[in-house]
């Protein structure tokens, strides 16, 4: 079975632009989470979606938004890009959203560079 | 809220030597604990996890970690490392009834021949 897939793998944008990142979860997984990993730091939680509903939001500005589609794939949108948004964006999928019993499987990430 | 501290940013070690990567956490509620590994240009892979029961948990590739509630620690150990263990290791926690992972800053393990 395919793992979590993310597209694109790399992206270069200019300050002020908008970006959309995409994630396809493992088949059968209904929950998707997004994390931001700035160089030299651990991943930071941005959003979690389950059955198309937002189930959790991290401490990120409203410029960050996301949605989940009926096929459980997800998009992360970032508006008005700042230099500080440059990071590896990771998507993780799990069967269900709660606690640690349901392992989160991570995709390879999208490397976003803002110039 | 939860926080995770990984005490060493880099750990250099010779092949076949033992290694310990340290992790301490802070939380006002019960948590599950995890170690993830990230190889260059790849996503995170779960190495091992503690949910309940025995405080010593093991991975299939020889790593082990021990949950110490009194010291709020979850240190990762391996008795003999290989070159292929070179990677970045992240300690993480999640509240038992929560839905997000809180990660430490990571420890880069460099195994030298």
């Amino acid at each position: 079975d395919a793992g979590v897939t993310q597209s694109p793998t790399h992206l270069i944008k200019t300050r002020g632009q908008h970006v959309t990142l995409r994630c396809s979860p493992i088949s059968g997984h209904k929950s998707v989470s997004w994390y931001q990993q700035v160089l030299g730091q651990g991943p930071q939680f941005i959003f979690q979606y389950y059955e198309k509903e937002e189930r959790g939001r991290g401490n990120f500005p409203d410029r960050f938004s996301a949605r989940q589609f009926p096929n459980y794939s997800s998009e992360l949108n970032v508006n008005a890009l700042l230099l500080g948004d440059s990071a590896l964006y990771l998507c993780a999928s799990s069967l269900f959203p709660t606690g640690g019993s349901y392992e989160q499987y991570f995709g390879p990430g999208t490397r976003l560079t803002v110039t | 809220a939860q926080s995770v501290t990984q005490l060493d940013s880099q750990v250099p070690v010779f092949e076949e030597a033992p290694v310990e990567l340290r992790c301490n956490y802070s939380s006002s509620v019960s948590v599950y604990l995890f170690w993830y590994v990230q190889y260059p240009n790849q996503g995170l892979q779960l190495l091992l996890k503690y949910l309940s029961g025995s405080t010593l948990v093991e991975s299939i590739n020889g790593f082990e970690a021990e949950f110490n509630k009194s010291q709020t620690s979850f240190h990762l150990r391996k008795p003999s490392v290989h070159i292929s263990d070179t990677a970045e290791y992240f300690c993480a926690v999640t509240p038992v009834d929560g839905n997000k992972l809180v990660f430490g800053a990571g420890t880069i393990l460099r195994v030298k021949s």
Side-chain angles (χ1 to χ4, degrees):
Chain A
D1 281 343
V4 178
T5 59
Q6 293 185 244
S7 62
T9 54
H10 295 86
L11 202 53
I12 299 175
K13 290 286 191 178
T14 305
R15 277 176 297 178
Q17 286 188 318
H18 162 89
V19 69
T20 298
L21 310 181
R22 296 178 175 83
C23 171
S24 292
I26 291 171
S27 177
H29 284 193
K30 300 180 179 180
S31 180
V32 170
S33 298
W34 287 94
Y35 292 82
Q36 180 196 63
Q37 186 179 11
V38 172
L39 195 63
Q41 298 180 21
Q44 300 284 321
F45 174 76
I46 310 175
F47 287 110
Q48 185 182 72
Y49 277 78
Y50 174 65
E51 293 279 14
K52 303 186 296 279
E53 302 271 333
E54 182 184 300
R55 293 292 294 266
R57 171 186 284 258
N59 188 24
F60 281 80
D62 291 343
R63 299 184 296 107
F64 288 77
S65 63
R67 56 180 176 167
Q68 187 177 34
F69 299 98
N71 67 353
Y72 303 110
S73 67
S74 177
E75 282 183 355
L76 175 69
N77 295 284
V78 187
N79 292 323
L81 285 166
L82 303 174
L83 294 179
D85 295 330
S86 296
L88 180 68
Y89 288 84
L90 296 166
C91 173
S93 79
S94 59
L95 280 169
F96 300 105
T98 305
S101 299
Y102 301 105
E103 179 179 342
Q104 293 196 35
Y105 294 83
F106 284 82
T110 293
R111 173 74 62 188
L112 172 65
T113 301
V114 182
T115 62
Chain B
Q2 291 75 44
S3 67
V4 176
T5 302
Q6 292 185 242
L7 296 157
D8 306 292
S9 59
Q10 292 198 41
V11 174
V13 63
F14 284 102
E15 194 172 19
E16 298 183 7
V19 70
E20 179 180 78
L21 307 184
R22 297 178 291 170
C23 171
N24 287 90
Y25 71 94
S26 172
S27 177
S28 57
V29 299
S30 295
V31 294
Y32 296 135
L33 299 110
F34 306 83
W35 276 98
Y36 283 84
V37 58
Q38 188 174 36
Y39 298 101
N41 301 314
Q42 295 188 26
L44 298 167
Q45 299 174 29
L46 180 65
L47 191 59
L48 45 76
K49 62 183 177 183
Y50 172 77
L51 304 182
S52 64
S54 172
T55 56
L56 185 66
V57 290
E58 299 177 354
S59 72
I60 58 173
N61 57 353
F63 283 94
E64 64 179 29
E66 186 159 20
F67 170 52
N68 187 319
K69 189 174 183 178
S70 63
Q71 297 186 5
T72 60
S73 67
F74 191 53
H75 300 332
L76 182 70
R77 301 183 183 95
K78 189 170 185 180
S80 175
V81 295
H82 303 288
I83 295 287
S84 60
D85 293 324
T86 294
E88 189 160 18
Y89 292 79
F90 292 93
C91 181
V93 302
T94 186
V96 168
D97 61 351
N99 59 1
K100 70 173 187 181
L101 287 164
V102 176
F103 287 88
T107 297
I108 297 173
L109 175 62
R110 297 190 192 281
V111 181
K112 302 177 288 185
S113 60

